[in-house]
Amino acid sequence: MRIAVIGAGNVGGGFARAAVAAGHEVVVTAAHADKAEGVAAESGARAAASNLSAVEGAQVVVLAVPGTVAPAVVAELAPALQDAVVVDATNPLNASFSGLDVTGISGAEDVQQAAGSVPVVKAFNTVFASRYAASTENGEPLQVLMAGDDADAKARVADVATSLGFAPVDAGGLRLARALEEMAFLNITLNATNGWAWQSAWQLVGPTA
C-alpha cells in the first residue's frame, strides 16, 4: 500500500521503518523537515515537503503526532484525502502526563469529527514504537487492537497490521477507542514509574470462541 506517515518521532519513525521493511511505499513528513529527511534516509521511505503533499494518493494515513494536536492536523488534511483511511496511532496525554486530555469520549472521536466523512481507525496506539520492528513475543504475534465505525477501513488497517507481523483484533466501534487510549496510558505509566524497558505489550489470551 501507499502509506503516509505524519510525524517522524519515535512512533512515526518506527512505523515508517517497519512499513518499508514490509514492502509498503511510505512517505513521511514532519513539522521539522530535517527529521522527516533523516527517517527517510535511513528507512528507505520518501520525505515530503508538507503534510498535504505527503497524503497525495495515500491509501492509509498514519497520525503519529502529539494526540492533542491530531484533530487539527487531520482537519487540514481531510479535503485532500480521497479513498484513504486515517489511522489514529496517537495517545492524547495531557501536559503533565498524568491523564488524557480529550474533549469528547476519546481522542480518536475528536479526530473523526475533524476528519468528516474520512474513516478513522484507532490502532497501533497500544503497541510501543519499539515493538513495531519486534512484533512477536515468545513466538506469537503481538496483537494490534483496532476500534472504528467503518468495517472496510478496519479491514484495510488489519491488512497493514498483518503485513508488519502483528495479529489484528477488532475491538469494536470507535466508542471503544477510549478504552484503548486508557490501556496505552496505563502501559506508559507503568514503564515510566517502574523504569521498565518500554517493551511491554497487551495481549488477550485464553479461549475466544
Side-chain angles (χ1 to χ4, degrees), residues 152-181:
D152 291 338
K154 282 193 286 189
R156 189 181 302 182
V157 176
D159 285 345
V160 173
T162 300
S163 75
L164 270 58
F166 293 100
V169 176
D170 188 346
L174 203 59
R175 167 64 181 84
L176 274 299
R178 183 56 182 265
L180 303 191
E181 291 168 1

Side-chain angles (χ1 to χ4, degrees), residues 11 63-71 87-95 97-102 106-108 110-111 122-129 132 145 176-189 198 202:
V11 174
L63 294 181
V65 297
T68 51
V69 304
V87 175
D88 178 13
T90 72
N91 285 303
L93 299 173
N94 62 21
F97 301 100
S98 61
L100 300 181
D101 185 2
V102 296
S106 68
D110 292 339
V111 171
K122 190 78 182 186
F124 293 101
N125 73 301
T126 58
V127 180
F128 286 141
Y132 290 166
L145 296 165
L176 274 299
R178 183 56 182 265
L180 303 191
E181 291 168 1
E182 292 286 5
M183 289 172 67
F185 174 58
L186 175 56
N187 204 12
I188 290 167
T189 300
W198 301 90
W202 299 113

Side-chain angles (χ1 to χ4, degrees), residues 43-63:
S43 69
R46 178 171 64 85
S50 69
N51 291 347
L52 285 172
S53 62
V55 303
E56 291 179 3
Q59 296 165 281
V60 174
V61 176
V62 179
L63 294 181

Side-chain angles (χ1 to χ4, degrees), residues 106-120:
S106 68
E109 285 176 303
D110 292 339
V111 171
Q112 180 65 83
Q113 184 174 7
S117 61
V118 179
V120 172

